[in-house]
Structure formats: structure tokens, C-alpha cells
Amino acid sequence: MGEHFETRCIHGSGEHSFEEQTHAVSFPLYQTATFGHLGLGRSSGFDYTREKNPTRQRLEEIMTELEHGVDTVAFASGMAAVSACFELFSPGDHIICAEDLYGGTNRLLHTISMKNGLQVDFVDTTSLEQIRERLTPATRAIYIETPSNPMMRVTDLRGCAAIAKEHGLLLIADNTFLSPYFQNPIALGADIVIHSGSKFISGHNDTIAGFLTSARQDLADRIRLIAKTTGGMLAPFDCWLAMRGLKTLPIRVERQQQNAREVARWLGAQPGIEQVFYTGLADHPGYALNLSQARGCGSMLSFRTDTVQTAHRILNGVRLITFAESLGGTESLITYPLTQTHPDVPEQMRLRLGITDRLLRLSVGLEHVDDIIADLGQALEG
């Protein structure tokens, strides 16, 4: 058991560190804050849910297998995971970050991490040369998203890993947009992989979660200590929801990708749509690179309209697609990065990246593709 990805999403490897005695087909929800001791100095292996819980442990083991790591820690949100990741560093440490990042990560770096003494340089990580130019004796890590949010830039994972290894740095990769089904950064040299588990992992827009998967045991041990100490762990019920979502991850993301390809092609042919950013289009500058390091292009795309009025008309006119933040769920969601996900990104950086009042981001869901396209069409027409 466990040779194929689809099987591991449902069963893991079949070998787990905690054997549930009832053999329930749906792994039980251990909704408890604490666990009784068997006697003085005798523990069942579970003492307090902040530290360890059977439901969370099973989820973490499955995620570790899917991302080819040595350990995974499940957090209460994607941002809790990112925050814990940056706790690995000390005041004065220098981090090279992709400039095109989820707005919450950018906000964390500007308002918390820099305040706490981290030095951060934001660069176009699609250029390995720009990364090399920003290296200093204090550099400790390279932090990337690929594809990036929201401009869908593709960063060379192998190239970044080579730079990191040469200079003794950590390579941290946010893999939220592609999920472990389409991309495995650790297999390409990353040290830590981040997921907002609220997105494709859980897949139903019904829970908030985050994950850090480590490639090395020393990193895993440090992250577990940080999680235990700061307490941002994923609650048992949310772990159960995420496990339930994982069981259908492969079939969901395959269909979403199929839908996204058709939607992207359709958008590119419409009056009023100036440019489509989707790594599955052959004219995307990162198309070939993405094919070389990922098994698919996913279902996230962004597009620029001809005018702000067109953008607003689409946002106000969609009926089937929901105008909302988030992504990766069964429902199609359309987002206005300027005001929803990236308002705290410094204006100069936003404009340089192209995050303007004409940019929309679309998470393509599982509705019939003809219905998604028809909804966009009627919204465009007004």
C-alpha cells in the first residue's frame, strides 16, 4: 500500500506511529484537551493536545509522506505556519524573499519580522542573478513562492537550491498554489515547504490550516519546539477536516486544472481582457520552467482588464463565482488583490509588480466549466 499518490492521500503509507485500536475507516476525531496518565512516569505518548494529538499526528504523517519530508507540523493557519518559520531566525539575520508574495506574508515581514531585527530584501526570484547579487555574510535563507501570488511568476527551485547549498542557506518554498500533487519542492532541494492548508489541502472552503514540512530532522525538531512553545497548533476538528479533504485532493485538483486551462484560453480571447497570467499557457514566461519542476500548472490564474470599470463590472456581476478571498476550494472564487489580499504591500512594490486596480485573481473550482465561462461572460457584458 502507498505506492501511488492517490492511495497515500487516503491511507498514508499504511504504517503509522499510532495505531487506532477500533480500526475506524474514518480516523477518529480525538476532541480532547488533555490525556490521562497511566501512572506516575507512565504516559500513553499523548499528554496535552497543544503538544500532540492522535488526529493531528495522523494528518501530519500523511502530509510528510506527500511532501517527501521527515516531519510536518500542522498549524492553526497558513500565517501561523509562516510566522513559526521565521522564528527559526535571529535578529540581524538576512532573508532574501520573492517580491511577489501573498500579501499576508509581506505584511508579516514588514510589521513583525523587521521589527524583531530580521533584515529582508525583496527581489525578483525568477532571476537567479538577482538572488546572488543580494547575498551577504548575514544571509540565512531564500524564501519563495512558485507560482507566486498573485502574478503567477515561476521561480527555479533547482537553481535556488543550488545557491542555498553553495552558501549554507535554507531554501523555504511556499507550495500552496500547486499542492503536493503537482509539485514537491523538497525533492528539488528545498529545506522547508509551507502550505496554507485552508486551500487545496482541505479543499472545501470550510477550515483554516497551515503546514510546515521539513527536509531535515534538526529543522523538524526546532519547528516542533517553536510550535509547542508559541502554541499555534491546529485543533483536532480542523485536523479531521483537513484529512477528509486530502482524500479527494488528486481528483479535485486534476478537474480544477482542466477547468482552468479552458477558462484561461477563453479569457485570453475576450475583448476587455488585456492579459492572462496562467502557467498553463504556452506564452507564459515560466511555462517551460514550470513543466520541468512540476507535474501540472494548477487552477490559479490572474488577469488584467482593459479598464478599472471592466474589473469592477466583473466583480459586481458574477453570480455563480463568489467574490471572496481564499482559493483552492470546490467553489470558484474571484479576488481583487488590490483591496483584499495585497492592500498592505507597499504601493511602489505593488505597482512594480502589476498589482493594480485592473488585476483580478481567479481560483477555478469544480463547477462545470461551461457554467464558469458563462458566468464570466455575462459579467463582462454587464
Side-chain angles (χ1 to χ4, degrees), residues 342-356:
H342 290 71
D344 296 320
V345 176
E347 183 179 10
Q348 185 177 6
M349 180 183 293
R350 249 191 355 250
L351 293 175
R352 184 173 70 252
L353 293 171
I355 305 173
T356 68

Side-chain angles (χ1 to χ4, degrees), residues 63 72-87 102-109 143 145 149 172-177 192-202 207-213 223 232-235 238 242 326-327:
M63 280 297 298
T72 296
V73 178
F75 290 88
S77 68
M79 285 311 304
V82 175
S83 298
C85 181
F86 283 109
E87 287 296 331
Y102 167 55
T105 304
N106 192 296
R107 180 175 59 244
L108 173 74
L109 291 167
Y143 184 101
E145 294 177 357
N149 184 2
I172 304 163
D174 187 321
N175 197 29
T176 297
F177 271 17
I192 297 173
V193 172
I194 296 175
H195 283 280
S196 173
S198 323
K199 313 307 193 286
F200 292 101
I201 300 300
S202 297
T207 191
I208 301 292
F211 299 98
L212 289 182
T213 300
I223 289 169
M233 310 298 291
L234 189 60
D238 296 294
S326 200
L327 57 103

Side-chain angles (χ1 to χ4, degrees), residues 111-161:
T111 63
I112 305 295
S113 301
M114 292 180 184
K115 170 184 70 69
N116 291 342
L118 290 188
Q119 303 174 42
V120 182
D121 268 330
F122 295 93
V123 305
D124 178 3
T125 54
T126 64
S127 166
L128 297 179
E129 186 57 36
Q130 285 196 33
I131 294 174
R132 290 186 179 278
E133 288 173 355
R134 298 297 182 94
L135 292 170
T136 76
T139 305
R140 298 291 178 266
I142 302 169
Y143 184 101
I144 64 172
E145 294 177 357
T146 184
S148 65
N149 184 2
M151 301 309 298
M152 309 299 157
R153 293 181 176 183
V154 179
T155 293
D156 185 345
L157 280 162
R158 294 184 183 89
C160 286

Side-chain angles (χ1 to χ4, degrees), residues 8-125:
R8 285 182 284 132
C9 282
I10 296 171
H11 299 284
S13 65
E15 299 177 3
H16 300 280
S17 56
F18 173 76
E19 186 60 34
E20 208 288 314
Q21 293 302 312
T22 69
H23 298 283
V25 172
S26 175
F27 191 84
L29 167 60
Y30 283 83
Q31 188 63 48
T32 182
T34 192
F35 301 82
H37 286 260
L38 304 177
L40 185 61
R42 295 172 59 212
S43 168
S44 67
F46 298 93
D47 299 314
Y48 193 60
T49 280
R50 171 165 49 82
E51 299 177 16
K52 196 176 181 183
N53 178 284
T55 311
R56 185 191 304 130
Q57 182 171 291
R58 180 61 61 96
L59 170 63
E60 291 173 340
E61 289 174 353
I62 295 172
M63 280 297 298
T64 299
E65 293 176 20
L66 297 182
E67 276 294 9
H68 302 183
V70 301
D71 189 36
T72 296
V73 178
F75 290 88
S77 68
M79 285 311 304
V82 175
S83 298
C85 181
F86 283 109
E87 287 296 331
L88 290 167
F89 306 105
S90 301
D93 286 351
H94 176 243
I95 315 295
I96 295 174
C97 284
E99 60 182 0
D100 189 29
L101 287 175
Y102 167 55
T105 304
N106 192 296
R107 180 175 59 244
L108 173 74
L109 291 167
H110 276 100
T111 63
I112 305 295
S113 301
M114 292 180 184
K115 170 184 70 69
N116 291 342
L118 290 188
Q119 303 174 42
V120 182
D121 268 330
F122 295 93
V123 305
D124 178 3
T125 54

